[in-house]
mmCIF file of all heavy atoms in Angstrom:
data_model
loop_
_atom_site.group_PDB
_atom_site.id
_atom_site.type_symbol
_atom_site.label_atom_id
_atom_site.label_comp_id
_atom_site.label_asym_id
_atom_site.label_seq_id
_atom_site.Cartn_x
_atom_site.Cartn_y
_atom_site.Cartn_z
ATOM 1 N N LEU A 59 145.002 112.365 90.973
ATOM 2 C CA LEU A 59 143.962 113.157 90.314
ATOM 3 C C LEU A 59 142.779 112.274 89.909
ATOM 4 O O LEU A 59 142.908 111.047 89.847
ATOM 5 C CB LEU A 59 144.541 113.833 89.068
ATOM 6 C CG LEU A 59 145.506 114.997 89.284
ATOM 7 C CD1 LEU A 59 145.967 115.550 87.937
ATOM 8 C CD2 LEU A 59 144.877 116.102 90.121
ATOM 9 N N PRO A 60 141.626 112.891 89.612
ATOM 10 C CA PRO A 60 140.459 112.103 89.206
ATOM 11 C C PRO A 60 140.769 111.213 87.991
ATOM 12 O O PRO A 60 141.406 111.642 87.034
ATOM 13 C CB PRO A 60 139.420 113.174 88.850
ATOM 14 C CG PRO A 60 139.824 114.369 89.656
ATOM 15 C CD PRO A 60 141.319 114.335 89.687
ATOM 16 N N THR A 61 140.321 109.981 88.060
ATOM 17 C CA THR A 61 140.551 109.011 86.996
ATOM 18 C C THR A 61 139.663 109.305 85.791
ATOM 19 O O THR A 61 138.499 109.675 85.956
ATOM 20 C CB THR A 61 140.256 107.591 87.511
ATOM 21 O OG1 THR A 61 141.100 107.333 88.637
ATOM 22 C CG2 THR A 61 140.493 106.541 86.453
ATOM 23 N N PRO A 62 140.170 109.152 84.545
ATOM 24 C CA PRO A 62 139.311 109.303 83.366
ATOM 25 C C PRO A 62 138.086 108.393 83.465
ATOM 26 O O PRO A 62 138.197 107.236 83.909
ATOM 27 C CB PRO A 62 140.223 108.891 82.209
ATOM 28 C CG PRO A 62 141.604 109.214 82.698
ATOM 29 C CD PRO A 62 141.576 108.909 84.174
ATOM 30 N N PRO A 63 136.916 108.888 83.078
ATOM 31 C CA PRO A 63 135.665 108.138 83.276
ATOM 32 C C PRO A 63 135.664 106.736 82.664
ATOM 33 O O PRO A 63 135.063 105.818 83.212
ATOM 34 C CB PRO A 63 134.613 109.033 82.601
ATOM 35 C CG PRO A 63 135.208 110.386 82.577
ATOM 36 C CD PRO A 63 136.679 110.210 82.478
ATOM 37 N N GLN A 64 136.353 106.562 81.528
ATOM 38 C CA GLN A 64 136.316 105.250 80.874
ATOM 39 C C GLN A 64 136.979 104.156 81.704
ATOM 40 O O GLN A 64 136.778 102.965 81.437
ATOM 41 C CB GLN A 64 136.966 105.325 79.483
ATOM 42 C CG GLN A 64 138.444 105.667 79.457
ATOM 43 C CD GLN A 64 138.693 107.150 79.304
ATOM 44 O OE1 GLN A 64 137.911 107.971 79.793
ATOM 45 N NE2 GLN A 64 139.775 107.512 78.630
ATOM 46 N N TYR A 65 137.767 104.551 82.701
ATOM 47 C CA TYR A 65 138.422 103.562 83.554
ATOM 48 C C TYR A 65 137.694 103.377 84.886
ATOM 49 O O TYR A 65 138.181 102.660 85.765
ATOM 50 C CB TYR A 65 139.866 103.971 83.808
ATOM 51 C CG TYR A 65 140.680 104.066 82.544
ATOM 52 C CD1 TYR A 65 141.147 105.292 82.082
ATOM 53 C CD2 TYR A 65 140.971 102.940 81.775
ATOM 54 C CE1 TYR A 65 141.879 105.387 80.905
ATOM 55 C CE2 TYR A 65 141.704 103.022 80.601
ATOM 56 C CZ TYR A 65 142.152 104.249 80.181
ATOM 57 O OH TYR A 65 142.871 104.344 79.011
ATOM 58 N N LEU A 66 136.547 104.013 85.022
ATOM 59 C CA LEU A 66 135.774 103.903 86.252
ATOM 60 C C LEU A 66 134.561 103.002 86.084
ATOM 61 O O LEU A 66 133.530 103.187 86.742
ATOM 62 C CB LEU A 66 135.341 105.294 86.725
ATOM 63 C CG LEU A 66 136.470 106.183 87.253
ATOM 64 C CD1 LEU A 66 135.941 107.563 87.617
ATOM 65 C CD2 LEU A 66 137.166 105.542 88.453
ATOM 66 N N VAL A 67 134.689 102.032 85.198
ATOM 67 C CA VAL A 67 133.647 101.019 85.005
ATOM 68 C C VAL A 67 134.301 99.642 85.061
ATOM 69 O O VAL A 67 135.477 99.479 84.715
ATOM 70 C CB VAL A 67 132.902 101.195 83.673
ATOM 71 C CG1 VAL A 67 132.095 102.486 83.664
ATOM 72 C CG2 VAL A 67 133.868 101.171 82.502
ATOM 73 N N THR A 68 133.556 98.654 85.512
ATOM 74 C CA THR A 68 134.059 97.287 85.574
ATOM 75 C C THR A 68 133.990 96.652 84.189
ATOM 76 O O THR A 68 133.469 97.229 83.236
ATOM 77 C CB THR A 68 133.232 96.447 86.553
ATOM 78 O OG1 THR A 68 131.894 96.308 86.021
ATOM 79 C CG2 THR A 68 133.165 97.123 87.917
ATOM 80 N N LYS A 69 134.503 95.434 84.083
ATOM 81 C CA LYS A 69 134.469 94.716 82.803
ATOM 82 C C LYS A 69 133.047 94.425 82.350
ATOM 83 O O LYS A 69 132.789 94.234 81.161
ATOM 84 C CB LYS A 69 135.267 93.414 82.916
ATOM 85 C CG LYS A 69 136.766 93.637 83.080
ATOM 86 C CD LYS A 69 137.508 92.314 83.148
ATOM 87 C CE LYS A 69 139.020 92.545 83.283
ATOM 88 N NZ LYS A 69 139.758 91.256 83.379
ATOM 89 N N THR A 70 132.123 94.402 83.291
ATOM 90 C CA THR A 70 130.718 94.165 82.950
ATOM 91 C C THR A 70 129.957 95.459 82.686
ATOM 92 O O THR A 70 128.756 95.432 82.437
ATOM 93 C CB THR A 70 130.023 93.384 84.078
ATOM 94 O OG1 THR A 70 130.085 94.144 85.294
ATOM 95 C CG2 THR A 70 130.696 92.036 84.282
#
Side-chain angles (χ1 to χ4, degrees):
L59 288 181
T61 302
Q64 64 267 33
Y65 299 112
L66 290 177
V67 294
T68 66
K69 292 182 179 179
T70 60

